[in-house]
Amino acid sequence: MRTNKVCTGASMSLDGYIAGPEETGFDKLFSWYSNGTVRVPTARDDLTFTMSPVSVEAWRGTVERTGALVVGRRLFDLTSGWDGNHPIGCPVVVLTHRVPEDWPHKDAPFTFVTDGIESAVERAKELAGPGRVVTVNGGTIARQCLDARLLDEVWIDLVPVLLGAGTPFFDQLKNVPVELEGPLSMAQGIDVTHLRYRVRYP
């Protein structure tokens, strides 16, 4: 079994949400991608960020560490599968109950896994390569990894907004409380604080 770290990251409101009611609030949660002066190209020709220097460093650190992503079907559908090219430019493993029959990007580096979170993470480790991080995205996927004791670190881009309701980063955890060590790092961008924590298992 590969020893790649498994981490999760998200832009999160001060009251703990990664999306507002009925999939709203993304303009607030992701404003830090476009409120700076430094242009940052991505793996997509049609997407360039404009960040503060601090946020650029945080973003580039994530890109350089990440070897593969694990996402759920909900995020995959919301983004239309990033049209087969995630902005980070790495392989993507999609955990789903049903493989989409109409996926138009057959040659894209996307793998569909239907037999559980452990299998999805292990496949992502194989794709990531030695020493690279597997990053899991979406609250449900992060919760499943934490419940299965697969998660090593939590990365939070904390945004000064209160959404009031929506999708929590972590919800309905089985084994609580969960203690985190840190922050391992903290950096203040424009309207965002980048934080890293290590999960402490008993």
Side-chain angles (χ1 to χ4, degrees):
M1 181 177 292
R2 294 181 182 272
T3 58
N4 310 64
K5 280 187 178 180
V6 179
C7 307
T8 187
S11 289
M12 187 183 78
S13 67
L14 280 175
D15 50 351
Y17 295 101
I18 58 174
E22 300 181 2
E23 309 300 341
T24 60
F26 296 117
D27 58 328
K28 305 296 184 184
L29 291 172
F30 298 130
S31 64
W32 62 274
Y33 283 94
S34 59
N35 64 6
T37 59
V38 183
R39 290 176 57 83
V40 183
T42 72
R44 297 177 58 97
D45 293 336
D46 62 345
L47 181 62
T48 298
F49 300 136
T50 310
M51 302 178 181
S52 70
V54 171
S55 291
V56 169
E57 186 174 351
W59 164 257
R60 286 178 176 162
T62 296
V63 173
E64 290 169 1
R65 287 190 294 265
T66 300
L69 292 165
V70 178
V71 304
R73 184 59 184 268
R74 181 184 181 193
L75 181 58
F76 174 82
D77 287 342
L78 280 172
T79 61
S80 298
W82 298 276
D83 297 320
N85 184 18
H86 192 280
I88 289 181
C90 67
V92 178
V93 176
V94 183
L95 180 60
T96 179
H97 294 295
R98 180 181 56 83
V99 176
E101 298 177 357
D102 57 349
W103 174 237
H105 307 287
K106 302 296 185 182
D107 296 330
F110 281 63
T111 303
F112 298 92
V113 173
T114 60
D115 54 346
I117 190 64
E118 291 87 352
S119 179
V121 169
E122 190 56 34
R123 180 65 180 130
K125 288 181 177 182
E126 294 170 357
L127 293 168
R132 304 294 296 281
V133 167
V134 169
T135 301
V136 300
N137 284 143
T140 300
I141 299 299
R143 173 181 56 78
Q144 290 183 35
C145 280
L146 194 55
D147 285 340
R149 301 172 67 91
L150 297 172
L151 196 63
D152 296 300
E153 292 186 8
V154 177
W155 306 339
I156 297 172
D157 302 307
L158 189 64
V159 179
V161 63
L162 302 173
L163 296 179
T167 303
F169 196 170
F170 291 99
D171 189 27
Q172 300 180 1
L173 292 170
K174 291 180 180 178
N175 304 307
V176 292
V178 176
E179 295 187 19
L180 305 178
E181 298 177 3
L184 306 177
S185 65
M186 179 172 59
Q188 182 63 57
I190 298 175
D191 292 333
V192 63
T193 304
H194 305 286
L195 300 159
R196 289 178 57 214
Y197 294 89
R198 181 183 297 116
V199 180
R200 180 187 298 163
Y201 293 106

